[in-house]
Amino acid sequence: MKVVVIGAGLGGLSLARRLIRAGIEVGVRERDSAMESRFQGYRVGIGGHAMPAVRGCLPDRLLPLLAAIGGDVTGMGRMVDTRLRLLGEVPPQDEGTMFDRHVLRHLLLAGLADRVRFGKQFEEYRELPDGRVRVRYTDGTEETADVVVGADGMGSAVRRRLVPSIRIRTMDRVGAIGRTPLTERFAALVPGWSTMVNAPDRQLFLGTMKFRRPPAEAAADLAPDVALPDTGSYLRWVMLIPAEFATAAAGSEQDPVAALAVLRDLAGDWHPDLRAVFEEADPHNSGIAPLRIGDPVHPWPTRPITLLGDAAHPTPPGGLGANLAFLDSELLCRALTSVRDGTSELLPALAGYERRICAAAAKAFGHAEQVYESFDEMRRDAARRD
Ligand SMILES: Cc1cc2nc3c(=O)[nH]c(=O)nc-3n(C[C@H](O)[C@H](O)[C@H](O)COP(=O)(O)OP(=O)(O)OC[C@H]3O[C@@H](n4cnc5c(N)ncnc54)[C@H](O)[C@@H]3O)c2cc1C
């Protein structure tokens, strides 16, 4: 059996690792020309329920390194106004262990270089009379696989072809997302789980990514054959701003320097420590982007093409998308292994997988909705105080 995975994100790479270990032939095709080719580094929280799925796709020898590059957050959250006056305490959400997505992706890529081809953008597939699938890329090349997995994220081209009925909605706010190197001044802004800065028309969420050990140093010590990025601990910030800023922001999506200028403007009369967050931000890892969410998904007619992660269930930032991507890869590997072992036929095995991930995604949609409703409540609260 040959599996082609479209997309070398968290889900695609974790699936590939599992399939290789199961002895199943797999190739990963990634649109970007390299891991570093665009803003990729933000913090993702992996809950206790999903950590076994993360560990399970790595060999035992890399588990100490995985533990070393995690980060912990403890304590209460707090809500402040734009002058940093305390408005109240907020009970923490259990987000689990924090990881930097870019660093984690490098760890998942370790030892996979010959299976992953960068600069390969999926264009379309067609099913062949013998049941296999022919995949075409935008560079005109083609290949044939027994199973194609769309792990190509929120804007998945595989999903658009396979389940065109799933719509992606743009939310009524845009999100400015970025990071600022963690100094004492910025660490003091987030003494606990999270600090939320509440203004009537914009909310800023601050959190820390404090690596237990610097990733590059930890890799050199614990697994010298693995190269991890030289990323230091940082303050992660997300600012939700109304859609009318989208016009200014739209041009900034590919231009972080312009995006940071928009943010400095938006925080113009805020406390100096908050303004400094944007003044000292890392422009290579900051930007403004529309917030998108997909319709809740229901099982679709099963074909030898399937979906995984955000491609299957498009969740917005603040949702549980990374958790789901790891859990999906575990389930899909199990389904494909049963086909390889002859205990299941391909389509029933994929249908079972698709039913399970749709059920899990329904819960995650509920979670994302609650998170975004709580943001709306914050906005209303700030407007009342104003
Ligand atoms: C700011 C922010 C914070 C977040 N925080 C959390 C969190 O705390 N917890 C959590 O669980 N989730 C979080 N998420 C969501 C999480 O990052 C995603 O759900 C997760 O990365 C999805 O993994 P994936 O493998 O499905 O897709 P992705 O990681 O998006 O990977 C998709 C890959 O496919 C490639 N690709 C796209 N199109 C093509 C094509 N046509 N051909 C070939 N390749 C293609 C892309 O370049 C990309 O590399 C957050 C997201 C953001 C933006």
Side-chain angles (χ1 to χ4, degrees), residues 7 9-11 30-31 38 42 45 101 122 152 310 320-323:
L10 298 177
E30 166 59 47
R31 164 186 71 178
R38 65 196 162 86
Y42 48 82
R101 177 178 174 272
F122 165 87
D152 48 342
D310 276 2
L320 295 168
N323 288 260

Side-chain angles (χ1 to χ4, degrees), residues 6-13 29-32 38-40 42-46 95 98 101 105 120-123 137 151-158 160 177 236-238 308-313 315-325:
I6 308 295
L10 298 177
L13 290 175
R29 311 296 175 232
E30 166 59 47
R31 164 186 71 178
D32 290 343
R38 65 196 162 86
F39 160 51
Q40 304 268 336
Y42 48 82
R43 188 188 79 158
V44 293
I46 304 291
E95 293 185 88
M98 299 300 168
R101 177 178 174 272
R105 223 172 145 224
K120 277 275 171 207
Q121 180 166 359
F122 165 87
E123 186 169 64
Y137 301 95
D152 48 342
M154 172 77 88
S156 172
V158 179
R160 283 203 300 277
I177 296 165
R236 184 279 282 135
W237 43 264
V238 177
L308 176 150
D310 276 2
H313 32 69
T315 46
L320 295 168
N323 288 260
L324 289 178

Side-chain angles (χ1 to χ4, degrees), residues 343-356:
T343 54
S344 297
E345 295 293 319
L346 178 62
L347 294 186
L350 290 180
Y353 158 76
E354 288 158 3
R355 269 197 308 277
R356 291 185 70 176

Side-chain angles (χ1 to χ4, degrees), residues 203-223:
Q203 282 85 40
L204 175 66
F205 300 87
L206 301 173
T208 53
M209 178 67 237
K210 285 187 207 158
F211 295 104
R212 293 178 191 136
R213 288 188 67 183
E217 179 197 297
D221 184 22
L222 299 169

Side-chain angles (χ1 to χ4, degrees), residues 56-81:
C57 65
L58 291 168
D60 286 352
R61 71 177 190 91
L62 293 183
L63 296 184
L65 181 54
L66 175 72
I69 60 169
D72 305 298
V73 283
T74 52
M76 290 294 283
R78 56 186 204 138
M79 193 183 293
V80 296
D81 67 10

Side-chain angles (χ1 to χ4, degrees), residues 201-202 239 241-242 245 261-270 288:
D201 62 352
R202 61 203 78 161
M239 177 129 83
I241 46 186
F245 291 102
V262 171
L263 291 173
R264 281 197 299 272
D265 206 33
L266 287 173
D269 59 352
W270 290 17
I288 298 182

